[in-house]
Amino acid sequence: MDSELHKSWGRKVRERRQAMHLSQDQLADMAEVRQATISRVESGNQCPSDAVKWRLAGALGVTVEQLFPYPAVKPPAPVAS
C-alpha cells in the first residue's frame, strides 16, 4: 500500500486522539492494542489490520470510514459467545 495513504490515516488518528486529550497510552488501553502500535500507525509506519482499525475507530468515537476512508474495511467477524 501507499505510504502516503498510511501517513494520512495516521494523521487522522493522531488529530482525533489529541482532540480528545488522550495520550497514546490511553488510546492504546481503550483500543486494546500496544502503545507502540499507536505510535507506528500515527507515524504512517504501519498499516493497521482491519481489526485494529475497528478498535481505533470505536475508541475514538468515530466510524472506521472517517479514519480510514480508503480502501474499504471489512467488519470484524462476530465472536461466538
Side-chain angles (χ1 to χ4, degrees):
M1 266 240 169
D2 180 42
S3 65
E4 287 304 312
L5 179 61
H6 295 171
K7 288 179 183 177
S8 72
W9 288 349
R11 279 190 298 273
K12 288 178 186 231
V13 171
R14 182 179 54 250
E15 289 169 1
R16 180 67 182 166
R17 175 182 60 78
Q18 290 175 339
M20 294 177 68
H21 306 287
L22 296 172
S23 68
Q24 287 185 346
D25 284 324
Q26 290 169 315
L27 177 56
D29 287 343
M30 293 169 67
E32 299 179 353
V33 298
R34 296 180 351 177
Q35 180 276 330
T37 299
I38 302 298
S39 178
R40 287 192 301 267
V41 168
E42 288 188 358
S43 66
N45 291 328
Q46 177 178 331
C47 176
S49 68
D50 285 353
V52 170
K53 289 174 187 174
W54 279 90
R55 288 184 197 152
L56 288 172
L60 292 170
V62 295
T63 66
V64 175
E65 294 80 11
Q66 286 174 293
L67 288 180
F68 308 101
Y70 178 83
V73 179
K74 296 178 190 171
V79 177
S81 303

